[in-house]
Amino acid sequence: MLIISPSVLAADFSKLGEELKKVKDAGAEYIHLDVMDGIFVPNISFGIPVIASLRKKATAFFDVHLMITDPIRYIDDFVKAGADLLTIHYESCSDPAAALRAIKAAGIKAAVAIKPATPAEDIFPLLAEVDMALVMTVEPGFGGQKLIPETIEKVRVLRSYAVANGLTLDIQVDGGITAENLPLLTEAGANVIVAGSAIFRADDPAAVIAEMNEQASKHPYQA
């Protein structure tokens, strides 16, 4: 089943509560919240207070993507703020397994992300311990970029490994995704789609989400 997770980076920050309601009403199951510290990635977005405030207004599943250095320091705080899933980057800490264990111990879902330059094989040892793997299809840090075609093969590698090892694994893709290029990703094995501008800035977000679901149903994973 396809899960759409609109990225808040593309929303109108002057009315975030309304924006989240808009996309949830349009059919989005998740809300993707990108937390950037200006160190791990060259940008700063928002943090724990904003997520805690939005949690009071939104009932959607909070898919929180931590693009920060040493994320283990803040896991409990993000959980208290209302995260339903925390994604940490494989490249962001010396012991990603410890950070993932801490997330699971806090009682929420855990995911591991990789940048475009990181081989998918690097996270094979972690996949049995996580609920989701995130393949960045652009360089993390900024919205509005174009999808890097070479990253699609990483999705296929991860899905093939999960199938071969009997793992129930969501595979998320993030960056430059539209209804037009989505079939390439779903055929490779992605089932959680992060889309920012394509949804938040659409005249009819519901139509975009419906089109994405239709494209996914027409282009399922092909082993």
Side-chain angles (χ1 to χ4, degrees):
M1 181 183 70
L2 193 73
I3 296 172
I4 304 295
S5 188
S7 172
V8 167
L9 282 183
D12 182 343
F13 274 52
S14 70
K15 51 179 182 179
L16 276 181
E18 296 172 37
E19 290 279 84
L20 266 58
K21 183 179 186 303
K22 176 181 74 175
V23 296
K24 184 175 187 298
D25 290 348
E29 294 184 49
Y30 286 11
I31 297 294
H32 192 80
L33 297 149
D34 287 303
V35 178
M36 307 178 191
D37 63 1
I39 301 171
F40 179 67
V41 292
N43 197 9
I44 295 173
S45 58
F46 50 80
I48 293 160
V50 170
I51 293 172
S53 295
L54 290 174
R55 180 79 285 172
K56 296 173 185 177
K57 298 288 186 180
T59 58
F61 185 96
F62 275 14
D63 164 22
V64 180
H65 180 189
L66 300 181
M67 288 178 269
I68 64 176
T69 302
D70 294 328
I72 196 168
R73 297 173 295 162
Y74 302 108
I75 286 167
D76 288 341
D77 294 320
F78 280 106
V79 172
K80 290 175 183 175
D84 295 298
L85 179 151
L86 283 176
T87 299
I88 62 109
H89 265 267
Y90 174 76
E91 309 91 351
S92 70
C93 48
S94 59
D95 191 352
L100 293 165
R101 286 194 297 268
I103 295 169
K104 297 292 282 188
I108 66 169
K109 291 187 174 185
V112 60
I114 53 173
K115 292 181 177 182
T118 302
E121 291 82 359
D122 284 5
I123 60 170
F124 280 179
L126 301 173
L127 295 183
E129 309 299 326
V130 300
D131 300 284
M132 186 176 79
L134 165 56
V135 175
M136 290 300 303
T137 48
V138 300
E139 288 295 338
F142 296 93
Q145 301 181 63
K146 290 186 177 181
L147 182 146
I148 300 170
E150 291 78 12
T151 60
I152 298 171
E153 182 58 24
K154 293 184 185 184
V155 176
R156 189 175 299 281
V157 169
L158 290 171
R159 180 58 71 201
S160 297
Y161 179 88
V163 170
N165 289 274
L167 301 177
T168 301
L169 181 73
D170 285 328
I171 298 181
Q172 184 176 73
V173 283
D174 180 0
I177 300 168
T178 65
E180 288 71 33
N181 61 27
L182 183 141
L184 299 172
L185 297 159
T186 56
E187 287 177 354
N191 69 303
V192 184
I193 307 298
V194 177
S197 303
I199 295 175
F200 273 109
R201 296 178 187 175
D203 293 332
D204 187 349
V208 174
I209 291 174
E211 175 65 13
M212 287 184 167
N213 278 294
E214 182 178 355
Q215 290 298 326
S217 67
K218 291 179 178 177
H219 300 275
Y221 168 63
Q222 298 178 354

